[in-house]
Amino acid sequence: MSDTISVEVVYALPEKQEIVALRLPVGSTLIDAVHASGLPEKYPQIDPDGGKFGIFSKLAKPDAVLRDRDRVEIYRPLLADPKAVRAARAEKIAQKKTAGKEPAA
């Protein structure tokens, strides 16, 4: 049995994706991998203390212990709340429907 594990740390930007392959000691946590990747230094918008992270597309806590071949994902904040966007779209459609009707006399 090996003393280390292989993991990838991924940070996706609109124009590119950064992938950093690491070998870490067994028992390393998600936040250990984030720091070891060097990505927070390269991209100051990454907040290791308050950011959102995942392992294979599932939200994970910074203290989650990693397993061999895990992929740690660093999530960017959403620019717009999806619920608010859907509500605004539905309101706009409703306004178009009522704008085409003539008022009853």
Side-chain angles (χ1 to χ4, degrees):
M1 190 166 140
S2 177
D3 302 5
T4 61
I5 57 172
S6 294
V7 298
E8 288 183 337
V9 180
V10 179
Y11 183 57
L13 297 161
E15 66 280 352
K16 69 178 179 175
Q17 179 173 296
E18 290 273 352
I19 301 172
V20 178
L22 300 170
R23 291 216 47 90
L24 297 172
V26 170
S28 293
T29 62
L30 183 150
I31 202 64
D32 293 335
V34 170
H35 285 295
S37 73
L39 291 172
E41 290 77 27
K42 188 173 181 180
Y43 299 100
Q45 66 269 30
I46 295 174
D47 179 8
D49 299 320
K52 296 218 183 270
F53 307 98
I55 299 173
F56 286 118
S57 302
K58 293 191 181 194
L59 206 56
K61 294 183 179 182
D63 62 352
V65 176
L66 299 174
R67 297 185 305 203
D68 192 39
R69 301 163 120 191
D70 272 347
R71 183 182 69 211
V72 173
E73 298 161 344
I74 302 171
Y75 300 130
R76 293 181 293 127
L78 295 175
L79 297 178
D81 177 16
K83 289 181 184 177
V85 171
R86 283 193 297 274
R89 188 179 319 127
E91 178 66 26
K92 190 174 180 180
I93 291 169
Q95 287 176 354
K96 283 184 179 180
K97 286 181 180 179
T98 57
K101 296 180 181 178
E102 292 187 27

